[in-house]
Amino acid sequence: MEEIVVLIVGAGPSGLATSACLSVHSIPHIILEKEDIYASLWKKRAYDRLKLHLAKEFCSLPFKPHSPDSPTYIPKDMFVDYLDDYVKTFNIQPKYQRHVESASYDEADGKWRIEAKNVLTGGVEVYVAEFLVVASGENSGKYIPELPGLDSFSGETLHSSEYKSGAKYENKEVLVVGCGNSGMEIAYDLSNYGVQTAIVIRNPVHVVTKEIVRVGMIFSKYLPIFIVDIMAVLMSKILYGDLSKYGIRRPTKGPFYLKATAGRAPVIDVGTVAKIKSKEIKDFKHVLNETGMPKNDFPHHWKGEKNLYCCGLSRRGLFGVSMDASAIADDIKKVVTEKLN
C-alpha cells in the first residue's frame, strides 16, 4: 500500500496540467495511467490532419504558453511536441498501465482508498490519498452504437479514434456516422482522397469557422453570451447562407450558450460544408444520444465532496483543462495549508 497526498487518474492533458500545478505548490502526488504512455489519445488515436480547433491562446496548459512563432491553430504533431516539453519541464512521471478498478472514501480516516490493476504484473496495487482527482478526459472512451445489421456488415467498421487518413479508402464508399467536429473533418479528409463519402447529420448543429469561434471567445470575456451568440450566428448566416436545404439545421439556442449549458460544441468547418453543397459529400439524417458529464454546473464542476475533483470535463477543451487544473491545485493547497496551521 502506498500513501500519497494527491492521486490523479489519467495522464492526458488534464492530468499533466494538474500535476504541473501541484508541483508548483510543492504538493506530493502521483498519476495513474492505464495506457503505456501519456497523452495516449493524442499520440496514438488522433487522425493525421488534425489541428487544434481553438486558437493557441486558448489551448496552452498552465505555466507554459505556446511559442509566439507557432501557428495560430497548432497541428497535432506540434501539440504532441508541446506536451513532451511540458512533461520534461515539470518532470512528470506517471505510473503507466495502471487500470483503476475502484475508489472508496473512508469516512473515519477522511481518505480515499484506490485499487488499481497493474496490467504488466496482473497484481492489484492499493493507494491511499487525501485528495482524488479524476482527469480521465471527455473523450477517453469510444462509443459505437448497436445498429441492426452492423454485426453482419461485410465491410470495415471503425471508430473515429482509430481513423488516421483517407488514403487507404481511395475509390471506396464510406459512411461517416456523426456530424461533430471529428465526423465533419474525417468526411472532408476522405473526400479529398477521392472516397465516395456520405455523412450522417445529427440533430440541429451550428456550423462556424475557427475565426468565428476565436472572435466569440474573445468577446465573451466582455459581453453577455446571448450577444456573442447573436454575432456568431449572424456571421455564420452571412458566410454559409441557409444550410437547411443541405440537411443542416441550426438550433434555436446560440452556439456559445449550448456549449456552456449542454456541452454541445458547434461544428467548426474545415471545408466540409462546401463539399456537402457541391454534393461531393452526401448527407443522411440520424439522431444520436447525449452522454452524461459532471453533476455540478460550470464554474463549480471541478469540485465534488470529500476531496474529490475532476479535471478536463467542463466541455471547454484545453482552455477548460488549464482553468480546472489551476483551480484544483489552488484548492488542495488551501486545504493542506489550513491543516498545517
Side-chain angles (χ1 to χ4, degrees):
M1 183 174 69
E2 182 175 351
E3 293 196 27
I4 193 70
V5 178
V6 184
L7 187 140
I8 303 168
V9 180
S14 301
L16 300 180
T18 304
S19 174
C21 290
L22 291 171
S23 294
V24 168
H25 291 312
S26 300
I27 297 175
H29 62 278
I30 61 173
I31 304 177
L32 300 183
E33 167 58 46
K34 66 179 180 180
E35 299 287 348
D36 59 356
I37 195 170
Y38 58 85
S40 61
L41 189 65
W42 287 92
K43 293 195 169 190
K44 292 183 176 182
R45 296 190 288 277
Y47 45 90
D48 294 344
R49 63 163 284 113
L50 178 64
K51 292 183 180 180
L52 296 183
H53 288 150
L54 299 182
K56 63 182 179 182
E57 61 262 34
F58 300 110
C59 293
S60 61
L61 300 185
F63 310 111
K64 194 171 182 62
H66 289 286
S67 167
D69 298 331
S70 60
T72 302
Y73 299 97
I74 297 176
K76 176 196 71 173
D77 291 343
M78 186 176 290
F79 185 67
V80 168
D81 290 340
Y82 168 83
L83 293 177
D84 289 340
D85 192 44
Y86 196 82
V87 168
K88 291 178 182 177
T89 299
F90 294 99
N91 192 29
I92 301 173
Q93 300 179 15
K95 289 191 173 186
Y96 295 113
Q97 295 187 291
R98 264 68 170 190
H99 193 284
V100 174
E101 296 186 327
S102 68
S104 57
Y105 187 74
D106 190 319
E107 296 284 355
D109 293 339
K111 294 183 178 181
W112 286 91
R113 177 187 172 91
I114 300 96
E115 294 186 358
K117 182 178 180 179
N118 186 321
V119 178
L120 295 175
T121 66
V124 175
E125 300 172 348
V126 178
Y127 300 87
V128 175
E130 292 184 49
F131 304 90
L132 176 61
V133 181
V134 179
S136 51
E138 296 177 359
N139 303 308
S140 58
K142 63 181 182 181
Y143 171 70
I144 298 179
E146 294 183 7
L147 300 175
L150 187 61
D151 55 349
S152 60
F153 177 60
S154 60
E156 180 183 0
T157 303
L158 73 157
H159 188 266
S160 60
S161 63
E162 301 168 300
Y163 179 86
K164 292 297 181 183
S165 166
K168 64 179 290 188
Y169 303 104
E170 190 173 356
N171 298 321
K172 295 183 179 180
E173 295 180 340
V174 177
L175 173 65
V176 179
V177 180
C179 186
N181 282 302
S182 295
M184 287 285 268
E185 191 157 0
I186 288 172
Y188 177 80
D189 188 57
L190 287 165
S191 180
N192 283 344
Y193 279 98
V195 179
Q196 297 182 52
T197 309
I199 187 169
V200 169
I201 304 294
R202 295 190 181 197
N203 271 346
V205 294
H206 286 287
V207 178
V208 294
T209 64
K210 290 181 178 181
E211 288 304 325
I212 290 177
V213 173
R214 186 184 189 188
V215 170
M217 292 186 71
I218 293 173
F219 276 106
S220 64
K221 296 179 180 179
Y222 311 102
L223 298 173
I225 288 295
F226 79 92
I227 294 180
V228 178
D229 275 337
I230 291 173
M231 295 168 56
V233 171
L234 178 60
M235 287 187 283
S236 178
K237 286 181 177 179
I238 293 173
L239 185 61
Y240 295 109
D242 181 12
L243 293 177
S244 62
K245 65 182 76 174
Y246 305 103
I248 303 174
R249 295 171 292 124
R250 289 187 179 90
T252 56
K253 302 293 185 180
F256 287 91
Y257 174 84
L258 287 175
K259 180 64 175 174
T261 60
R264 291 176 55 187
V267 171
I268 299 175
D269 181 39
V270 295
T272 315
V273 170
K275 286 181 174 287
I276 291 175
K277 285 183 174 182
S278 67
K279 297 185 179 181
E280 288 182 65
I281 297 176
K282 299 178 182 179
D283 77 275
F284 290 81
K285 293 182 179 179
H286 195 68
V287 179
L288 300 182
N289 294 326
E290 297 289 336
T291 57
M293 293 300 286
K295 290 183 179 180
N296 297 331
D297 294 330
F298 181 87
H300 308 294
H301 61 282
W302 53 270
K303 185 174 182 179
E305 299 177 350
K306 302 173 182 177
N307 295 337
L308 176 63
Y309 302 84
C310 65
C311 180
L313 298 178
S314 66
R315 305 182 179 101
R316 283 167 171 76
L318 292 167
F319 179 65
V321 165
S322 184
M323 293 175 62
D324 290 353
S326 297
I328 290 169
D330 288 344
D331 193 72
I332 290 176
K333 179 187 178 183
K334 178 182 177 182
V335 175
V336 171
T337 302
E338 288 176 351
K339 284 186 177 181
L340 294 176
N341 294 335

